[in-house]
Structure formats: structure tokens, C-alpha cells
């Protein structure tokens, strides 16, 4: 039997807009006025045209008012740390091809194009943290496991701490309590070792940056792996804690726009796949009714991003950097191979990201694809594609959810309603997070599942590196199921094969954690 993969958090090839990318790439490379800037180094923060188009799209998607114009994309020189004498303070972005022909909107000044969310996170850590002065990195537990490696590579191995989540997302009360404790321990150690003198970041800092004392990493909407959505009040509380403790909150906003309305009869979510020749007239009617609902009835507004709350909530820090960045990516919206994302923050934050040494040397990390995506955004093609992907993911989610209810719940498997957006009946993202019965070891179940040619992600993968001793930070009896990657026709069979592995483990007492 063919293998089925419910592990990989990738979009299926059927969800990729290959034809649209090909068309817009051809348009770009056929016009000297377009391919000249695209094939050059370009402005360090990314092509002006793309940033303007992206900013306008984000304002539409999140229903934002344009921010007040900023007189400068960076703080005043007196507020910046001194650059090394050998630093090149010359901004060649001002002379990049096409730079003089594009006036940046206020929203675009808050954006810096990156090579995707992972590269963006690595650059943020290089520019705005230092292991000698940044005290802790705090991650929502369960967490996106690959983020732990990025933090470790930045020098924070052994300094990662998990924060539990509830139905509203990250537990802000627990975060604040642990930050107080961390600061007290840090300052007591400084008093013993250095006479109370606060440690400073070592070496020369990049100009136009700062070092935060703490970093908080979270996926606020349709979290990986739990599927939870952080409530608006919880988001405001998190921004307040970040300001009090000099923390940089990195919101991985990569799933926000991938959402759909949950049908009263979820079978209707498979509308796009209904065979017009089917004998089941009732199912066709339900599917067509829901298809019209999905296309005609607008989704409710997205909750404000953490970065929007930070921009609008009174009491922001006066250094101009803010306390939150939105880490965005086209990987889940268009395709991982486009290697393009963005950081949004204050203009000073965006300028600090763009001042990363490798970017100043080599330019924007994905200029050609950023220009292609800019064209697609201007013409409404990205917006149109993302809406279509949301509907297709909705069909996939419904298949897996029904299969879980039919084949796994009778075995004692539990899964929350958080991923369905509570009373709003909105679902989104890529994942369903399930809990196995009777303390069953998910690692063993996953190995048994592989014997049945089904690949799933055991919960231990999503524990914060080095901080999994407390029970609320351990997930040994959980599994993550991704419904985006496997062929749609395989999803139901995949859950059925998983049920065989669970049954086998339920008969073996050694499979319990």
C-alpha cells in the first residue's frame, strides 16, 4: 500500500499556483523596466514596489488604517549606538535601480522583505539579541520545534523556556511570573559577580539596532501544532508584559490568512470536489449550498495582530523600535520554494532588519521572487489564490476531522475545539492536535503507524528544548496531524491506518508513557 504522510507541514503540489507564477515571471523578464531592478541587488529592505503592494494588501486583509507617515525609517542619530569606526554608514539602497521612482507608503516603511519566516527569525536574533545580555527566550508550549534550532544556533541553547497555553493561547500570567523570577536571579548573579553592573552586549552592535532583555516566540493564529488562536484580550496583555520586561515578541503570522467557515454539516466543505454525476443528490445539494456560502459570505474580520496592537496601544517605548514584530511568509500562502517573507514592525525595526550585514553586502535575499510576488499582489492574484487555498484546506480539514471523530474518538482519542475558532465557527491553519487515550506513548504509536505506511508527528517533537520537566510542558501522549500535504484522496485512509496503530498500542501496556 502507498505511504501516507500526515507529518510534513507542507502545501500539497495541487495547492501551488504554478501557472500564475509562470505567467508573472514571464511578464517580469519580458520588460526591461521590470527585470532591470529585479536582477540587480536592489534596496536592502526589498523592492519598493513590492513593499507598497504588500502593505496595501495587509491593510485590506486586516482592515487596518494606514499608519501615520514617519519622517524617517530609523531613530534619530543621537538615539543610536555608535557604529564601529570601520563600518560603512553609506546607504546604497538609496541608489538602487528603481528606488528613486517609487515613493514608499507609511505601511511599506514598516516592512522589510526576508528570505522567509525562518530566515527572518534568524536575522532578528542577530540584530536584536545577544546571549550575553538577552536573558531568556520564551516559547509557547507546545512549540514549533524547528524554531528551537534557530534559537540554539543564535547562542541560546539551554536558555529556552516553555510557557503553557490554554484555550486563549499563551498563559500571560505564567509568563510574567517566570520573567520576574528570571530577572531577579539574573540581577542577583550580576550583584555577586560584577558588583551589580548590568552586563552589556559584547562587541560592536550593528548601527540602528538594540538588544532586548527577553524574546517571546509564538504563533498567534492557528498555532503549530495546537491549532489554537490567541484571543484579542490575551494579545493586549502580552504586549503589556513585553513592554514592562523589555521583551521582543516575535509573532509568526504565517497561518492567519488561511481560514474558512465551518459548515453546519461539514460534508459541505468538500464542495469543490463533488462529482456532478454522483448518485447522492442530497450530498451534492449540501455541497453546492456550502460552496456558495463560502464564496459569497465574507469571513469575519481577523483579530488584530500583536504588531498592530503594539502600534496602536498607548505607552510604547520611546526608543522607536516597539516590542513586537510580525514575521510573515509566502511559504504557506504561495509556496515554500519562493523563499520570500517579510518582517513588519516600526520603521526603525524594519531598518534594523535591513541593516543585517549579509543583506547589506548581497542585497534583499529574494529580489526576483519578491518582484514577481509584488506583481501578483498588485493584480489581485495572491489575494485570489489565498482565498481559494483556504477553501481547499477547509475541505481537507473536514475530511480529517470527520475521520478522527469516526475512527479515533471511539478509541478514546481527544481533540479540542480550539482549532474551529470557538463560537465563530471559523477554522484555519494546517494542523489537528490530538491526545491519545490512557497516557499512551505517542512515540510508540508513531512507530507502529509507520509499520502501516502512515507518518505522523509525535508530541515530544513539540516540547521546548531543554525545558520539558514540568507536566504542562510535556506532550508525550499527543500527535499532530497535518492535512495540507498528503493527497486529498489519502487523508481518510491515513486516519484509518492510524487507528490500527492506536488499537495495537491499547492492547500493549508497555506502550503507555
Amino acid at each position: 500500500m502507498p505511504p501516507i504522510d500526515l507529518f510534513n507541514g507542507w502545501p500539497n503540489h495541487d495547492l501551488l499556483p504554478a501557472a500564475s507564477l509562470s505567467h508573472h515571471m514571464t511578464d517580469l523578464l519580458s520588460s526591461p523596466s521590470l527585470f532591470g531592478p529585479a536582477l540587480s541587488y536592489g534596496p536592502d529592505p526589498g523592492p519598493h514596489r513590492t513593499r507598497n503592494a504588500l502593505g496595501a494588501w495587509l491593510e485590506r486583509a486586516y482592515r487596518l488604517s494606514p499608519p501615520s507617515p514617519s519622517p524617517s525609517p530609523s531613530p534619530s542619530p543621537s538615539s543610536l549606538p555608535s557604529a564601529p569606526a570601520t563600518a560603512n554608514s553609506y546607504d546604497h539602497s538609496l541608489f538602487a535601480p528603481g528606488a528613486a521612482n517609487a515613493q514608499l507608503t507609511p505601511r511599506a516603511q514598516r516592512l522589510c522583505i526576508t528570505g522567509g519566516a525562518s530566515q527572518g527569525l534568524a536575522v532578528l536574533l542577530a540584530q536584536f539579541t545577544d546571549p550575553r545580555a538577552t536573558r531568556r527566550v520564551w516559547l509557547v508550549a507546545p512549540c514549533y520545534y524547528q524554531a528551537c534550532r534557530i534559537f540554539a544556533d543564535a547562542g541560546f541553547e539551554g536558555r529556552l523556556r516553555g510557557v503553557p497555553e490554554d484555550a486563549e493561547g499563551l498563559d500571560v500570567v505564567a509568563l510574567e511570573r517566570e520573567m520576574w523570577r528570571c530577572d531577579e536571579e539574573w540581577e542577583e548573579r550580576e550583584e555577586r559577580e560584577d558588583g551589580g553592573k548590568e552586563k552589556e552586549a559584547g562587541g560592536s552592535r550593528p548601527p540602528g539596532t538594540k538588544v532586548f532583555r527577553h524574546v517571546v516566540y509564538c504563533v498567534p493564529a492557528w498555532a503549530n501544532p495546537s491549532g489554537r488562536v490567541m484571543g484579542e484580550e490575551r494579545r493586549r496583555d502580552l504586549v503589556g508584559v513585553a513592554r514592562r520586561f523589555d521583551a521582543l515578541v516575535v509573532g509568526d503570522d504565517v497561518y492567519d490568512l488561511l481560514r474558512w467557515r465551518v459548515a453546519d454539516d461539514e460534508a459541505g466543505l468538500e464542495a469543490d470536489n463533488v462529482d456532478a454525476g454522483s448518485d447522492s443528490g442530497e450530498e451534492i445539494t449540501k455541497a453546492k449550498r456550502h460552496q456558495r456560502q463560502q464564496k459569497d459570505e465574507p469571513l469575519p474580520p481577523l483579530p488584530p495582530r500583536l504588531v498592530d496592537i503594539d502600534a496602536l496601544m498607548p505607552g510604547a517605548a520611546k526608543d522607536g523600535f516597539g516590542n513586537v514584530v510580525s514575521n510573515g511568509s509566502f511559504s504557506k500562502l504561495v509556496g515554500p520554494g519562493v523563499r520570500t517573507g517579510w518582517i513588519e514592525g516600526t520603521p526603525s525595526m524594519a531598518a534594523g532588519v535591513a541593516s543585517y550585514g549579509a543583506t547589506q553586502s548581497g542585497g534583499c535575499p529574494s529580489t526576483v521572487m519578491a518582484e514577481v510576488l509584488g506583481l501578483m499582489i498588485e493584480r489581485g492574484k495572491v489575494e485570489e489564490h489565498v482565498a481559494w487555498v483556504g477553501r481547499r484546506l477547509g475541505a481537507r480539514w473536514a475530511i480529517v476531522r470527520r475521520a478522527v471523530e469516526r475512527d479515533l474518538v471511539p478509541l478514546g482519542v481527544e481533540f479540542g475545539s480550539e482549532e474551529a475558532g470557538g463560537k465563530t465557527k471559523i477554522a484555519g491553519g494546517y494542523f489537528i492536535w490530538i491526545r491519545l487515550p490512557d497516557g499512551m506513548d505517542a512515540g510508540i504509536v508513531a512507530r507502529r503507524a509507520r509499520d502501516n505506511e502512515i507518518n505522523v508527528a509525535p508530541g515530544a517533537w513539540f516540547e521546548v528544548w531543554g525545558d520539558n520537566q514540568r507536566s504542562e510542558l510535556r506532550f508525550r501522549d499527543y500527535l499532530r496531524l497535518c492535512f495540507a500535504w498528503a493527497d486529498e484522496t489519502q487523508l481518510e485512509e491515513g486516519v484509518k491506518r492510524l487507528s490500527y496503530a492506536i488499537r495495537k498500542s491499547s492492547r500493549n501496556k508497555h506502550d503507555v508513557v
Side-chain angles (χ1 to χ4, degrees):
M1 54 185 174
I4 299 175
D5 193 340
L6 301 184
F7 186 122
N8 282 327
W10 304 345
N12 184 272
H13 294 165
D14 289 344
L15 300 176
L16 305 178
S20 185
L21 285 167
S22 175
H23 174 76
H24 288 87
M25 179 67 81
T26 299
D27 282 359
L28 180 82
L29 297 180
S30 300
S31 170
S33 65
L34 296 177
F35 74 65
L39 294 175
S40 300
Y41 286 106
D44 295 342
H48 289 41
R49 178 174 182 166
T50 299
R51 290 160 66 203
N52 281 337
L54 175 60
W57 178 42
L58 293 173
E59 287 181 355
R60 292 194 302 274
Y62 291 95
R63 304 187 187 185
L64 303 172
S65 300
S68 301
S70 174
S72 170
S74 58
S76 63
S78 61
S79 68
L80 298 179
S82 299
T86 57
N88 184 355
S89 59
Y90 159 78
D91 183 5
H92 60 76
S93 294
L94 299 175
F95 303 95
N101 299 322
Q103 179 67 36
L104 286 174
T105 65
R107 179 70 56 186
Q109 293 177 38
R110 294 172 52 86
L111 295 167
C112 179
I113 300 299
T114 67
S118 297
Q119 191 261 358
L121 177 58
V123 172
L124 283 168
L125 296 175
Q127 297 295 87
F128 293 99
T129 70
D130 189 306
R132 290 160 289 197
T134 302
R135 299 174 178 182
R136 287 283 187 273
V137 175
W138 308 88
L139 300 92
V140 179
C143 72
Y144 168 53
Y145 65 93
Q146 297 281 23
C148 295
R149 172 56 60 99
I150 297 173
F151 288 116
D153 288 349
F156 291 101
E157 188 164 6
R159 307 260 291 285
L160 310 184
R161 295 294 181 269
V163 183
E165 64 176 356
D166 56 24
E168 289 292 306
L170 180 147
D171 185 340
V172 175
V173 173
L175 173 65
E176 185 168 23
R177 181 181 64 245
E178 294 302 316
M179 279 185 166
W180 272 115
R181 184 176 300 167
C182 171
D183 282 356
E184 287 180 352
E185 292 174 355
W186 187 279
E187 288 157 13
E188 287 175 2
R189 185 169 62 252
E190 285 182 338
E191 183 68 33
R192 291 194 307 269
E193 297 175 357
D194 303 305
K197 182 180 179 181
E198 183 174 357
K199 288 185 179 179
E200 297 180 357
S204 300
R205 294 297 307 162
T209 65
K210 67 168 283 186
V211 174
F212 286 88
R213 290 185 178 181
H214 298 271
V215 175
V216 180
Y217 173 82
C218 59
V219 184
W222 321 119
N224 180 3
S226 71
R228 289 191 169 108
V229 177
M230 192 183 299
E232 183 173 344
E233 189 62 34
R234 185 69 58 87
R235 297 181 187 215
R236 295 183 185 280
D237 291 343
L238 177 55
V239 172
V241 169
R243 290 178 177 181
R244 290 194 290 277
F245 287 87
D246 188 27
L248 173 63
V249 177
V250 181
D252 245 0
D253 295 323
V254 297
Y255 300 105
D256 287 38
L257 303 176
L258 299 174
R259 61 194 190 123
W260 51 89
R261 192 177 300 278
V262 177
D264 292 333
D265 180 344
E266 289 171 0
L269 279 167
E270 295 183 75
D272 289 347
N273 278 348
V274 168
D275 179 0
S278 170
D279 293 333
S280 178
E282 183 180 354
E283 289 302 313
I284 294 174
T285 301
K286 289 178 181 177
K288 288 183 176 179
R289 185 187 307 124
H290 188 73
Q291 186 179 47
R292 287 194 297 270
Q293 180 190 37
Q294 287 279 62
K295 290 183 177 179
D296 298 339
E297 186 176 349
L299 292 166
L302 289 159
R305 296 171 300 171
L306 289 161
V307 72
D308 302 322
I309 293 172
D310 191 40
L312 297 174
M313 197 167 80
K318 299 186 183 302
D319 60 15
F321 290 104
N323 287 90
V324 181
V325 295
S326 173
N327 194 18
S329 176
F330 288 102
S331 292
K332 301 296 192 288
L333 305 179
V334 176
V338 301
R339 306 312 314 140
T340 305
W342 67 90
I343 293 289
E344 180 174 352
T346 66
S348 301
M349 178 65 71
V353 173
S355 71
Y356 181 57
T359 300
Q360 291 211 321
S361 173
C364 172
S366 57
T367 305
V368 172
M369 284 311 308
E371 292 275 20
V372 171
L373 291 165
L375 280 179
M376 292 176 66
I377 295 170
E378 283 184 338
R379 297 172 181 177
K381 298 303 180 182
V382 169
E383 199 166 355
E384 179 183 298
H385 176 71
V386 169
W388 177 82
V389 169
R391 293 194 297 273
R392 295 306 326 127
L393 288 174
R396 290 167 161 271
W397 173 84
I399 292 170
V400 174
R401 185 180 175 100
R402 284 197 304 274
V404 168
E405 290 176 336
R406 182 187 63 239
D407 298 328
L408 304 187
V409 169
L411 304 179
V413 167
E414 300 174 359
F415 69 106
S417 60
E418 291 84 10
E419 75 276 1
K423 296 180 181 179
T424 63
K425 290 194 173 181
I426 301 297
Y430 266 37
F431 309 108
I432 290 180
W433 184 237
I434 65 174
R435 189 171 193 176
L436 298 172
D438 304 321
M440 197 175 292
D441 190 323
I444 295 176
V445 172
R447 289 196 293 274
R448 292 191 185 281
R450 285 196 293 274
D451 294 338
N452 289 328
E453 298 290 347
I454 171 69
N455 194 22
V456 293
W461 284 60
F462 306 97
E463 295 172 357
V464 175
W465 284 16
D467 190 29
N468 59 357
Q469 299 307 307
R470 289 176 288 161
S471 60
E472 66 267 30
L473 302 179
R474 291 171 61 87
F475 306 99
R476 303 300 170 91
D477 53 346
Y478 283 84
L479 290 171
R480 188 195 73 178
L481 310 180
C482 176
F483 49 82
W485 170 240
D487 189 85
E488 193 164 334
T489 61
Q490 296 180 318
L491 295 172
E492 188 172 4
E493 173 65 20
V495 175
K496 186 177 294 184
R497 292 184 194 177
L498 177 60
S499 72
Y500 302 150
I502 294 174
R503 283 194 181 96
K504 190 169 184 178
S505 291
S506 68
R507 295 193 294 267
N508 190 334
K509 63 181 180 180
H510 299 295
D511 290 358
V512 176
V513 177

